[in-house]
Amino acid sequence: MKTELQQSVKRKIPLAPHLKPDEQARSRKVRETALLYLCVSIGSVIGSVLRALASLAALAWFGPAFPWGTLLVNIVGSFVIGFYATFAGPNGRLFSGTYQRQFVMTGICGGFTTFSAFSLEAFQLMQRSELVLAGLYIGASVVTWLAAVWCGHALASRLNRLGG
């Protein structure tokens, strides 16, 4: 069931008929922007919680010697954003509006992946004079993240070309 705001935005029915047309347009723009921010915020909460759970699980399974959790969430997040951007893109099989794209790509993927944690962990490895491990971490991260984006794009491109 759609809310009054969703119906109003879709049909462009003014919620405040007492406003002048330019005020109604401004009010509609504010509502649309607020809805976009809400979609990104909800997606970000979901992505952040998933990242925290993945990091805790990686820490429990592999221990603290290497930041496996950050490496893995960034690989998975890179795959998902590459896949979704292609699958829901202009020639993709999935129709996706602005709100849905921002929910998934900016919200979920943005909350799930983390460049700041990667930078801090690489810095901490270097600070502990574990330069080889830091180099492996940086190299493996960049290569696997780019490969994951490419895999997601390639898979979605194949799915987009399927008939039906």
Side-chain angles (χ1 to χ4, degrees):
M1 180 171 206
K2 292 187 176 184
T3 66
E4 182 181 342
L5 176 61
Q6 289 173 322
Q7 292 172 349
S8 173
V9 168
K10 187 166 185 148
R11 288 192 252 148
K12 299 190 178 192
I13 298 171
L15 284 177
H18 62 282
L19 296 176
K20 296 177 185 171
D22 62 327
E23 293 172 332
Q24 290 177 358
R26 200 171 329 131
S27 175
R28 184 176 300 113
K29 180 73 175 165
V30 168
R31 287 191 311 259
E32 290 173 357
T33 302
L35 185 58
L36 181 66
Y37 291 165
L38 181 64
C39 290
V40 171
S41 299
I42 292 170
S44 181
V45 168
I46 292 169
S48 297
V49 169
L50 290 174
R51 176 177 42 145
L53 292 173
S55 293
L56 290 173
L59 194 59
W61 289 335
F62 305 117
F66 189 78
W68 288 107
T70 303
L71 179 65
L72 294 174
V73 296
N74 286 328
I75 291 170
V76 172
S78 296
F79 175 81
V80 169
I81 202 166
F83 180 86
Y84 187 82
T86 302
F87 200 60
N91 297 322
R93 295 177 66 88
L94 176 67
F95 174 75
S96 170
T98 301
Y99 298 122
Q100 185 181 357
R101 289 179 64 84
Q102 292 298 320
F103 170 75
V104 173
M105 294 172 64
T106 305
I108 293 177
C109 290
F112 187 65
T113 60
T114 173
F115 191 76
S116 57
F118 160 72
S119 301
L120 176 64
E121 291 163 346
F123 175 75
Q124 288 172 336
L125 287 172
M126 288 187 277
Q127 201 173 31
R128 291 191 313 242
S129 299
E130 297 184 67
L131 298 179
V132 173
L133 200 55
L136 284 172
Y137 182 49
I138 294 168
S141 295
V142 172
V143 169
T144 56
W145 299 343
L146 289 174
V149 167
W150 178 82
C151 286
H153 170 77
L155 178 61
S157 293
R158 286 189 181 262
L159 290 174
N160 286 339
R161 287 194 298 262
L162 291 176

